[in-house]
Amino acid sequence: MNEGRRRRGLEARVQEMFVAFPCVGIPPSAGRHVTKLKISQQRWGLSLEDNDLWIAATAMAIGVTPVSHDRDFGRLDHLSVLSPRVERGGVNSFV
């Protein structure tokens, strides 16, 4: 498959994802969640990247469950995370 055709196919799949999973802004209340999560992490001697803290805080602020392979999210208090199980041909289920 030539690169142009492959790229168009990938772009089409990404557009489908954006429709299925709309992007949302970071609400102001996420800042409070970042602070709480960071304090909790420091209390336990753990360290999480700031980007991950903001992702988690945003999910908590808007009341959604993040889907991620990143195991670091499992170390956060008060956050449930779905981990996709990828099998040949794509994502088949969540654990």
Side-chain angles (χ1 to χ4, degrees):
M1 175 184 308
N2 69 34
E3 286 299 310
R5 185 174 173 191
R6 181 172 183 266
R7 181 182 176 123
R8 284 190 301 275
L10 290 173
E11 287 174 347
R13 289 180 66 195
V14 167
Q15 289 303 318
E16 290 172 8
M17 272 186 29
F18 285 146
V19 169
F21 303 101
C23 295
V24 296
I26 299 173
S29 60
R32 288 189 297 277
H33 290 288
V34 166
T35 302
K36 290 177 186 177
L37 290 169
K38 196 160 198 124
I39 289 170
S40 175
Q41 291 287 290
Q42 290 172 347
R43 187 176 307 135
W44 291 101
L46 303 171
S47 176
L48 198 66
E49 295 290 325
D50 283 345
N51 289 338
D52 288 342
L53 283 173
W54 278 103
I55 291 167
T58 300
M60 292 169 78
I62 64 175
V64 298
T65 301
V67 177
S68 177
H69 284 291
D70 190 339
R71 293 182 185 188
D72 288 339
F73 286 116
R75 301 184 316 183
L76 295 173
D77 294 335
H78 313 295
L79 182 69
S80 296
V81 179
L82 288 177
S83 179
R85 181 174 40 178
V86 179
E87 298 177 7
R88 189 177 207 136
V91 175
N92 290 340
S93 62
F94 296 97
V95 275

